[in-house]
Amino acid sequence: MAFITLVQLTIVALFTPMMASLEVLPIKETNMVLYLQDWETGSNATAFPVAGLNDTYSSILKFATIMVIDDAVTEGLDRTSKEMGRAHGMYVNSALDASDLHLLFSVIFTNEKYNGSTLEIQGADWFFLKQREASVVSGTSLFRYAKGYAVLETVYLDLANLNAAIKF
């Protein structure tokens, strides 16, 4: 018993100076406004259905439809504004009443300031609400260990053609 106590004290004595010298870095907060250009129709479509209930790929507005995206992420609402990166991933209509999407995508930055960095976005998107939140669950490079949330707002919606711009 005395030997175990001696070993425990030795371990504490060895690690205490190391723990005291660790520097606690301040948390860095980054705020930005970006626009996801999600276009399901037209010559420059960026979102495509890949699966659906009973092999129907017709609409993200139907339960069980899965869309794969390679959407432009821009600095402004206009689709032709400066591209900051791309959103690669998918979203699924995951509610039986078709009112909810599940988002899962990476924002891959290509602009000069954040080039090569990524943010991972995931969560529920009740797309008929004016504003909703999704989780920022991770990141790479300048956003390594990122965590937080993104406020999503549909600022342009062409429901007939299923094209949208989402501010986040």
Side-chain angles (χ1 to χ4, degrees), residues 103-107 119-123 134-137 150 152 168:
L103 305 174
L104 181 60
F105 63 89
S106 302
V107 177
L119 284 173
E120 303 301 319
I121 310 289
Q122 178 179 327
S135 299
V136 175
V137 296
L152 308 174
F168 69 103

Side-chain angles (χ1 to χ4, degrees), residues 36-80:
L36 182 77
Q37 305 290 338
D38 190 60
W39 296 81
E40 294 184 32
T41 60
S43 61
N44 294 317
T46 60
F48 300 91
V50 294
L53 196 59
N54 299 325
D55 295 325
T56 60
Y57 309 126
S58 59
S59 173
I60 191 57
L61 300 177
K62 292 183 179 180
F63 173 69
T65 301
I66 300 172
M67 303 291 289
V68 173
I69 64 169
D70 181 2
D71 290 343
V73 175
T74 61
E75 71 177 356
L77 172 59
D78 190 281
R79 193 174 185 194
T80 62

Side-chain angles (χ1 to χ4, degrees), residues 26-34 84 109 111 113-114 117-119 136 140-151 168:
I27 294 174
K28 183 179 177 185
E29 185 174 308
T30 302
N31 293 300
M32 60 180 76
V33 176
L34 301 168
M84 305 297 283
F109 289 92
N111 66 322
K113 185 174 183 180
Y114 302 116
S117 298
T118 67
L119 284 173
V136 175
T140 63
S141 195
L142 294 174
F143 299 116
R144 188 173 293 131
Y145 304 118
K147 61 182 176 178
Y149 65 96
V151 177
F168 69 103

